[in-house]
């Protein structure tokens, strides 16, 4: 636990500095690097003779998305239909994946034996995450260089708040398990506690950062939807790790495991928040 806390105290400020201080091109490179590490860790979930060979399909699809989806600074600052399609696909995936996690182990018979489905799940998990983060970071950059950075940090803060609130509420009040076969410690009471904590932090952050939603209720709905899907995103990765028979996606982050272990909630939260934010 001590190592985990020390690592978190070092990483959190670095993440915040990177969000605000990296130029947009460098920020995109950083997120691309995180996504690539995530793809590499995902190869453990695919039954393949070589992890390098297992990486090829995801890299190929990722490269194709950069060719098919507008990627210049102007396009990123003016969200277009291809961007919304990618985000919508991400949202649909997380709804489906959440259903798989909640109904596990029965649902595993649908995909466990298919190598290509596992490849597809990795692409659907990480590619919309990549696009959603950079689209939010680029939002309004012509008028305010830090507006997008505040949006990115807003998502991180409500997810981190929900995680902390769920932990303490679950510890003190948790009785009803959400998905006992996937993650026995996660409870419905913890989820409610996380939602309340995230709403409070979200409201304070929106006021502090001057983040404009179309209405107060839009902020509430978008924040709650983001938080709920982030908790389910954590369950989804736990499901894949359980099927693969591994505890952590890697040991790259001392005390925390791998990159996927740290961004599992965020990979679900960012596409949902970005889609709802840009639509409403």
């Amino acid at each position: 636990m001590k190592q985990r806390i020390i690592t978190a105290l070092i990483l959190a400020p670095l993440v915040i500095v990177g969000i605000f201080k990296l130029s947009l091109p460098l920020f995109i490179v950083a997120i691309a690097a995180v996504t690539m590490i995530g793809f590499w860790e995902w190869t453990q979930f695919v039954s393949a003779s070589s992890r390098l060979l297992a990486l090829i399909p995801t890299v190929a699809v990722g490269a194709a998305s950069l060719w098919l989806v507008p990627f210049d600074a102007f396009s990123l600052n003016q969200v277009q239909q291809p961007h919304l399609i990618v985000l919508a696909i991400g949202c649909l995936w997380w709804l489906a994946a959440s259903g798989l996690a909640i109904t596990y182990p029965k649902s595993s018979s649908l995909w466990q034996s298919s190598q290509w489905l596992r490849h597809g799940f990795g692409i659907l998990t990480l590619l919309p995450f990549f696009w959603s983060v950079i689209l939010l970071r680029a939002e309004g950059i012509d008028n305010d260089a830090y507006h997008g950075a505040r949006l990115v940090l807003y998502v991180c803060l409500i997810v981190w708040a929900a995680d902390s609130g769920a932990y303490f509420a679950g510890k003190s009040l948790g009785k009803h398990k959400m998905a006992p076969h996937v993650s026995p410690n996660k409870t419905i009471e913890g989820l409610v506690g996380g939602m309340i904590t995230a709403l409070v932090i979200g409201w304070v952050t929106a006021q502090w950062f001057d983040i404009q939603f179309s209405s107060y209720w839009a902020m509430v709905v978008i924040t709650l939807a983001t938080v709920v899907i982030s908790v389910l995103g954590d369950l989804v990765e736990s499901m894949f790790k359980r099927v693969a028979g591994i505890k952590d996606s890697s040991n790259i982050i001392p005390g925390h495991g791998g990159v996927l272990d740290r961004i599992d909630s965020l990979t679900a939260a960012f596409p949902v928040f970005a889609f709802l934010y840009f639509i409403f």
Side-chain angles (χ1 to χ4, degrees), residues 186-264:
K186 283 189 167 48
T187 63
I188 294 175
E189 292 83 0
L191 174 61
V192 173
M195 290 166 64
I196 294 172
T197 307
L199 271 180
V200 173
I201 296 300
W203 183 82
V204 171
T205 304
Q207 299 299 313
W208 183 23
F209 286 173
D210 193 27
I211 295 175
Q212 300 296 321
F213 292 89
S214 58
S215 68
Y216 170 78
W217 289 110
M219 186 274 285
V220 170
V221 170
I222 292 172
T223 299
L224 287 181
T226 301
V227 166
V228 170
I229 209 70
S230 75
V231 173
L232 293 171
D234 187 20
L235 285 176
V236 170
E237 202 221 343
S238 295
M239 174 183 69
F240 287 125
K241 287 193 294 185
R242 187 172 291 274
V243 170
I246 59 177
K247 182 178 182 295
D248 296 319
S249 57
S250 74
N251 58 1
I252 194 172
I253 306 175
H256 289 262
V259 166
L260 283 178
D261 298 318
R262 288 304 90 212
I263 68 169
D264 48 9

Side-chain angles (χ1 to χ4, degrees), residues 24-175:
L24 182 59
L26 287 178
F27 181 81
I28 293 172
V29 169
I31 297 301
V34 170
T35 303
M36 280 301 303
I37 295 172
F39 276 142
W40 171 252
E41 292 179 350
W42 193 276
T43 58
Q44 297 176 98
F45 304 151
V46 179
S47 300
S49 56
S50 167
R51 290 184 68 182
L52 283 175
L53 290 177
L55 194 62
I56 293 175
T58 51
V59 172
V61 174
S65 78
L66 295 176
W67 179 63
L68 294 170
V69 180
F71 193 55
D72 58 280
F74 175 80
S75 298
L76 290 175
N77 195 31
Q78 303 290 328
V79 176
Q80 302 175 26
Q81 187 177 28
H83 300 132
L84 292 177
I85 290 173
V86 172
L87 297 179
I89 290 172
C91 292
L92 291 174
W93 156 243
W94 283 109
L95 288 175
S98 298
L100 293 177
I102 292 172
T103 57
Y104 179 86
K106 186 180 296 185
S107 63
S108 62
S109 62
L110 300 174
W111 56 269
Q112 188 170 355
S113 60
S114 173
Q115 182 175 337
W116 288 107
L117 276 179
R118 295 195 195 189
H119 275 299
F121 291 168
I123 293 168
L124 290 169
T125 295
L126 288 163
L127 206 54
F129 163 75
F130 167 78
W131 280 104
S132 59
V133 176
I134 65 173
L135 284 168
L136 286 173
R137 179 63 183 85
E139 170 67 7
I141 198 168
D142 288 343
N143 299 318
D144 181 351
Y146 296 113
H147 174 66
R150 291 193 289 268
L151 284 174
V152 172
L153 185 56
Y154 179 88
V155 179
C156 292
L157 289 177
I158 61 173
V159 170
W160 295 338
D163 186 50
S164 299
Y167 175 79
F168 289 109
K171 274 281 188 180
S172 56
L173 303 171
K175 293 181 179 180

